[in-house]
Amino acid sequence: MRIGNVDVKELVRDYQTPLYVYDEGKIKSVVKEFKDNFKSDNFSTDVLFACKALDCLYMYNLANKLGLCLDCVTGGEIYGAYKAGFNMKNVFFHGNNKSEDEILMAGKYGVGNIIIDNLDEVKMLEEVLKDTDYHFNVMMRINIGVSAHTHQYIITAHPDSKFGFFIESEDIFTAVEMIKKNKNLSFKGFHSHIGSQIFDKEGFLIAVSKLFGLMAKFDFEFEWLNLGGGFGIKYTDEDKPIPYDEVSKMLIDKVNEEMKSTGIKISRLLIEPGRSIVGEAGYTLYTIGQLKKTKNKMYYFIDGGMSDNIRPALYQAKYACDVVDKESSEKKNLVCIAGKCCESGDVIIEDILLPEAKKNDILVVYSTGAYGYSMSSNYNKMLKPAMVFVDNGNVKLACKRQSYDDLYANEEI
Ligand code: LLP
């Protein structure tokens, strides 16, 4: 098996397992698909990478080189973007509970844009920025009150969501007025993000209509509109994502249609996908250790688990996998892929048909590129895996495997 034209066995020999492998060519082609199709003659467009999906220096740098803007949610992500040489004017600082220190840090590092979550935040910004000459373009996150058809844990737009100004709230008008009067802030427009891993077009279209409906209530010109991310990817054969060229064109057409029918103009349209940019480009390689047969189950135990991929335990997320170099062997064993953490929920794949495997065979889990490494932990003092990017036969180590000393570096007796 090869990824990015590199033999998987070579990667395992050089970097051991568990190992996150990213096919950089795939990331580049998804970005190109978005960029080639998410454009219009009537306004400028930008694609932000929601870096929570994969927040590491290599990816910040790659995103910058690919001409993406960046959605950051914490001081940690902003610091990483800065360290990686990201063009900070293109950073959008998101989040529902930004701290004063983070705001000042964003100012110091030259972050260009803030996406405001709530009225309290506007008051905090007024206070923190008043004696500074920091300046931010500002968008406001609107909770449009539509829930996307996806797993309930990752729905973000119901009326009581912790994210954004609810679309019917008077706070929106108060906040816009305060922002418009503020010397440190320039109001640019609204933002909405309706959820994640969405396969249904309808939610996105409703979001655009609702946002135009909201803009119509104001008597000034809006400049920007940000439609968030959430475009689904393929984890298993059951997943049927909307192709990215299609979803891009659909959003552009819908915005043009709304501009025509309402007479409201915008000059810049943004989207902020995370999962779709890195998800299918990522693979996790594990070494199979012990095999165990119980009364009703056959386990293949792997040398990682919920510490490097919490998604199955947290969201009942489904993945597909193969035993490396046995992809075309007969798949006659129904097996459970379980990790080595001390939790019965530490299962990466509950039931999958695989060929006969033995100790030291390599298992590859597909589509682990989004929210895998970035949500990894040191539970049971497991080491965070190494991460490599492969592109056209070249391998780049983006992140070393943690050492046991790294694990205890901040601790004292
Ligand atoms: N914009 C905002 C404001 C967001 O909150 C998110 C994701 C995105 C963009 C990117 O969404 P994407 O295109 O990646 O779906 N940990 C969960 C996903 C949580 C998503 C959080 N927000 C998971 O592993 O499925």
Side-chain angles (χ1 to χ4, degrees), residues 35-107:
K35 285 192 156 255
D36 286 352
N37 294 287
F38 188 68
K39 56 183 183 193
S40 168
D41 293 337
N42 299 328
F43 42 81
S44 70
T45 52
D46 270 298
V47 180
L48 283 65
F49 173 54
C51 76
K52 67 206 88 180
L54 178 61
D55 41 10
C56 63
L57 296 181
Y58 190 92
M59 190 59 210
Y60 300 135
N61 182 255
L62 179 60
N64 196 41
K65 285 195 289 202
L66 296 177
L68 298 168
C69 299
L70 206 66
D71 150 13
C72 292
V73 182
T74 61
E77 289 179 347
I78 290 173
Y79 182 72
Y82 177 77
K83 237 175 114 75
F86 203 90
N87 176 357
M88 300 304 279
K89 284 274 155 270
N90 290 340
V91 170
F92 287 70
F93 186 15
H94 252 290
N96 65 300
N97 187 24
K98 303 174 186 81
S99 73
E100 293 166 12
D101 286 348
E102 284 174 319
I103 299 292
L104 292 173
M105 173 182 178

Side-chain angles (χ1 to χ4, degrees), residues 50 52 71 141 193 196 230 272-275 311 315 371 375:
K52 67 206 88 180
D71 150 13
R141 180 166 181 175
H193 170 78
S196 209
E272 49 189 32
R275 188 190 315 267
R311 299 192 70 259
Y315 313 119
Y371 306 105
M375 293 178 82

Side-chain angles (χ1 to χ4, degrees), residues 144 192 202-215 225 227 250-251 254-256 258 269:
I144 60 155
S192 107
E202 200 54 28
F204 294 115
L205 298 175
I206 295 172
V208 176
S209 301
K210 289 212 163 204
L211 288 165
F212 271 88
L214 178 62
M215 288 191 275
L225 183 66
L227 301 176
M250 172 189 88
L251 292 174
K254 179 71 180 164
V255 167
N256 272 314
E258 288 285 338
L269 185 68

Side-chain angles (χ1 to χ4, degrees), residues 93-346:
F93 186 15
H94 252 290
N96 65 300
N97 187 24
K98 303 174 186 81
S99 73
E100 293 166 12
D101 286 348
E102 284 174 319
I103 299 292
L104 292 173
M105 173 182 178
K108 185 173 110 189
Y109 289 143
V111 168
N113 318 278
I114 291 189
I115 303 196
I116 295 183
D117 178 86
N118 57 68
L119 189 57
D120 237 22
E121 183 180 335
V122 185
K123 295 176 190 159
M124 192 260 276
L125 284 168
E126 280 186 338
E127 194 49 36
V128 177
L129 296 175
K130 69 174 190 291
D131 299 324
T132 73
D133 53 10
Y134 297 144
H135 180 269
F136 298 99
N137 295 316
V138 163
M139 304 194 78
M140 278 167 53
R141 180 166 181 175
I142 304 298
N143 169 6
I144 60 155
V146 168
S147 52
H149 299 275
T150 177
H151 193 286
Q152 60 168 338
Y153 289 103
I154 42 185
I155 287 174
T156 54
H158 51 79
D160 294 315
S161 164
K162 75 166 186 162
F163 296 112
F165 292 80
F166 187 49
I167 189 149
E168 289 160 21
S169 165
E170 284 301 310
D171 284 358
I172 296 176
F173 299 90
T174 316
V176 168
E177 208 170 303
M178 287 168 73
I179 296 165
K180 279 190 154 271
K181 278 192 201 139
N182 191 287
K183 70 169 173 53
N184 302 95
L185 307 173
S186 294
F187 181 76
K188 294 288 177 186
F190 294 134
H191 163 282
S192 107
H193 170 78
I194 57 167
S196 209
Q197 185 59 2
I198 300 169
F199 296 138
D200 187 7
K201 293 179 179 171
E202 200 54 28
F204 294 115
L205 298 175
I206 295 172
V208 176
S209 301
K210 289 212 163 204
L211 288 165
F212 271 88
L214 178 62
M215 288 191 275
K217 295 183 179 166
F218 293 83
D219 58 3
F220 57 79
E221 301 269 303
F222 283 80
E223 290 177 67
W224 303 353
L225 183 66
N226 182 334
L227 301 176
F231 316 119
I233 68 164
K234 181 171 168 166
Y235 287 98
T236 70
D237 285 341
E238 280 166 29
D239 298 327
K240 308 275 180 255
I242 322 169
Y244 307 135
D245 56 343
E246 214 179 283
V247 80
S248 304
K249 286 187 194 136
M250 172 189 88
L251 292 174
I252 294 282
D253 289 350
K254 179 71 180 164
V255 167
N256 272 314
E257 189 189 304
E258 288 285 338
M259 286 193 1
K260 215 167 161 193
S261 65
T262 61
I264 296 168
K265 290 196 172 54
I266 55 156
S267 55
R268 187 186 192 196
L269 185 68
L270 306 125
I271 45 172
E272 49 189 32
R275 188 190 315 267
S276 44
I277 290 184
V278 289
E280 290 184 36
Y283 303 75
T284 319
L285 304 179
Y286 299 102
T287 302
I288 296 176
Q290 272 109 55
L291 313 178
K292 177 170 176 172
K293 191 149 181 42
T294 59
K295 187 160 174 241
N296 301 304
K297 257 179 138 66
M298 175 73 198
Y299 284 101
Y300 289 1
F301 290 148
I302 50 171
D303 55 352
M306 66 190 294
S307 49
D308 57 73
N309 186 356
I310 189 73
R311 299 192 70 259
L314 195 56
Y315 313 119
Q316 293 79 53
K318 303 270 182 290
Y319 287 91
C321 72
D322 267 312
V323 180
V324 169
D325 291 345
K326 292 187 182 169
E327 299 93 280
S328 43
S329 309
E330 196 193 346
K331 297 182 177 175
K332 54 179 187 206
N333 290 1
L334 187 64
V335 300
C336 174
I337 308 295
K340 57 184 281 161
C341 292
C342 201
E343 288 265 347
S344 43
D346 178 21

